[in-house]
Amino acid sequence: MMTHSEKMLSKLQFFFFIIQAQIGVGVLSIPHELNNNAMGGSGLSVLIAGFVTQMIIFILWFLLKKYPGLSLFHICLKLCGPVIGRLLIVCYIGHFILLAANILLSTVDVLQSWILLSTPKWVLLGLFSIMALYLAREKLTVLARFYALASFLFVPLIFFVSYGLTQSRVEYMFPLLEAGYMNIVKGAKDATISMYGFEMMLIIFPYTQGSNKQRLMTISLANLFVTLFYTFVVVTCVMVFNTEQLRLIPEPVIYLMKSLNFYVFDRADVLFLPIWAITLVCSIVSYCYAPSIGLTVLFKRSNHKNFAPYVIIVSYIIALFPITPIAIHQLDRAAEYSAYLFIVGIPFVMMILSLFVKRKAGELA
């Protein structure tokens, strides 16, 4: 159990941790995906997705509040018993590994498409896996410090996207509701999936300083930042490209970077992608750290350090397997349905059960 304040995350570190876990490779393609449904109202879809995400955060927070001092894996054992609880832990470990593999594959796929055309897939996967291993074996406080430093890279990223406004045409956004209310809501589903990562609160919430309300406020502010950032990126792309262009461009954000002329350097995407890759490493590390912690609970160990290599090796193998676009799409779909079940479905059921199951407030062993 973490009892010393120096071993706990500060509220600011918690804020940066959630941001880095939430913002991933999905933001590069989300303007294209939302355009298929919401068209000019894509920005509204992102705002709705942010609201839905906040509702899910309330559910997760309520569950954690009912079991103070316990993370998701300990709550599974406390609420569901040793047999079903351990089965749930195994399922969650598989879920986190699947998401890690999906982010890993998506990252490599984007880099191969734009700047590393001749580099073998297995080499890129290996490089990202080595970086993830180096970090995932460390203590949570070390990860939090790295994430806080990496968050300063959002400044140049926002600058690059903002520069795209010099080519914007506001009329491309209107009418906002041209696709209809239902299509805007459908677009919110895609945006919500691109914003997962907030569920890391289930793992690190007990290791964060502050009261329950303060920690809820911190993660809510992180979600607000991510929502506004995604909205800014989507609206910028909608104002730069028209509907027909967005329909043909799978990664509009990178295409926007490639089209910009800074006079000092020719291709902004060559600078944008390496900076963005650091944020993606943070997302991969988060989803490798979580199953490593789950394995420590499952096997009753005190340190996750020895489990991290196995998690990353499995993630590497899963990411290496899909070769065709259809196989990559199937892995992406599997990750999406897994997110529905393990981020929304099971925590909601556990929250309902916690209202009827009498228990004593537990603490981490």
Side-chain angles (χ1 to χ4, degrees):
M1 178 180 176
M2 293 187 180
T3 55
H4 302 291
S5 60
E6 64 269 19
K7 294 183 180 179
M8 304 283 282
L9 302 188
S10 67
K11 291 187 285 292
L12 187 60
Q13 288 176 325
F14 186 35
F15 174 82
F16 286 131
F17 196 104
I18 296 300
I19 285 177
Q20 291 290 355
Q22 261 192 284
I23 297 179
V25 70
V27 73
L28 299 179
S29 59
I30 193 174
H32 164 77
E33 295 172 359
L34 293 183
N35 179 73
N36 294 332
N37 288 312
M39 301 175 71
S42 297
L44 297 177
S45 294
V46 179
L47 293 176
I48 294 172
F51 176 77
V52 172
T53 299
Q54 186 61 40
M55 294 301 101
I56 300 172
I57 288 173
F58 278 126
I59 294 174
L60 303 185
W61 173 77
F62 185 84
L63 178 63
L64 290 164
K65 182 183 175 184
K66 292 286 288 184
Y67 293 88
L70 298 183
S71 68
L72 168 68
F73 302 116
H74 292 88
I75 293 174
C76 289
L77 295 174
K78 191 82 173 179
L79 183 60
C80 304
V83 177
I84 298 178
R86 288 181 180 275
L87 180 61
L88 271 179
I89 290 175
V90 171
C91 292
Y92 264 104
I93 290 171
H95 162 72
F96 287 128
I97 291 176
L98 176 63
L99 292 187
N102 187 50
I103 297 173
L104 189 60
L105 177 60
S106 299
T107 301
V108 169
D109 188 49
V110 169
L111 291 176
Q112 277 192 313
S113 300
W114 287 94
I115 58 175
L116 300 173
L117 304 178
S118 301
T119 307
K121 174 184 174 181
W122 64 271
V123 172
L124 288 175
L125 288 174
L127 290 174
F128 275 93
S129 297
I130 291 171
M131 287 187 285
L133 175 62
Y134 182 78
L135 285 168
R137 297 171 76 246
E138 296 296 333
K139 297 178 181 179
L140 182 61
T141 48
V142 175
L143 296 186
R145 293 186 194 115
F146 178 78
Y147 287 12
L149 287 174
S151 296
F152 286 102
L153 294 175
F154 283 118
V155 175
L157 292 178
I158 293 173
F159 169 75
F160 281 136
V161 177
S162 299
Y163 197 77
L165 292 174
T166 58
Q167 303 178 6
S168 65
R169 299 182 64 178
V170 180
E171 60 268 23
Y172 284 165
M173 287 183 59
F174 299 103
L176 286 175
L177 303 177
E178 62 177 322
Y181 293 102
M182 290 308 299
N183 284 324
I184 290 176
V185 173
K186 288 179 182 178
K189 177 185 76 77
D190 295 327
T192 303
I193 289 299
S194 296
M195 294 168 67
Y196 61 65
F198 58 88
E199 73 276 12
M200 284 297 114
M201 66 182 288
L202 291 168
I203 310 299
I204 67 174
F205 192 86
Y207 306 119
T208 306
Q209 297 175 7
S211 64
N212 286 325
K213 291 184 178 179
Q214 288 174 331
R215 285 178 283 183
L216 173 62
M217 179 60 68
T218 300
I219 192 172
S220 298
L221 289 174
N223 180 58
L224 177 62
F225 175 86
V226 172
T227 301
L228 294 178
F229 178 75
Y230 271 59
T231 303
F232 171 66
V233 171
V234 168
V235 170
T236 300
C237 288
V238 168
M239 290 194 298
V240 171
F241 307 106
N242 60 41
T243 300
E244 294 303 319
Q245 289 172 329
L246 282 176
R247 198 168 280 137
L248 299 174
I249 305 173
E251 284 100 17
V253 178
I254 305 178
Y255 195 87
L256 173 62
M257 296 300 106
K258 189 174 181 178
S259 66
L260 297 179
N261 185 1
F262 287 90
Y263 302 104
V264 178
F265 48 88
D266 187 38
R267 290 183 57 185
D269 59 308
V270 176
L271 289 177
F272 178 86
L273 282 172
I275 296 174
W276 189 259
I278 297 175
T279 298
L280 299 179
V281 168
C282 294
S283 295
I284 296 168
V285 169
S286 297
Y287 282 108
C288 290
Y289 176 81
S292 300
I293 295 298
L295 288 168
T296 63
V297 176
L298 190 65
F299 292 102
K300 298 181 179 180
R301 297 292 188 269
S302 59
N303 197 324
H304 75 285
K305 187 175 182 179
N306 295 328
F307 293 109
Y310 298 105
V311 169
I312 292 172
I313 289 172
V314 174
S315 300
Y316 175 87
I317 293 173
I318 295 174
L320 188 64
F321 186 73
I323 299 176
T324 64
I326 294 177
I328 295 174
H329 178 71
Q330 288 176 339
L331 179 63
D332 194 53
R333 280 294 181 186
E336 178 181 338
Y337 292 133
S338 179
Y340 290 146
L341 178 62
F342 290 99
I343 299 177
V344 183
I346 293 178
F348 180 75
V349 173
M350 292 174 68
M351 184 199 71
I352 297 300
L353 286 176
S354 69
L355 298 175
F356 301 99
V357 175
K358 187 177 181 181
R359 52 84 191 154
K360 296 180 180 179
E363 292 186 348
L364 287 172

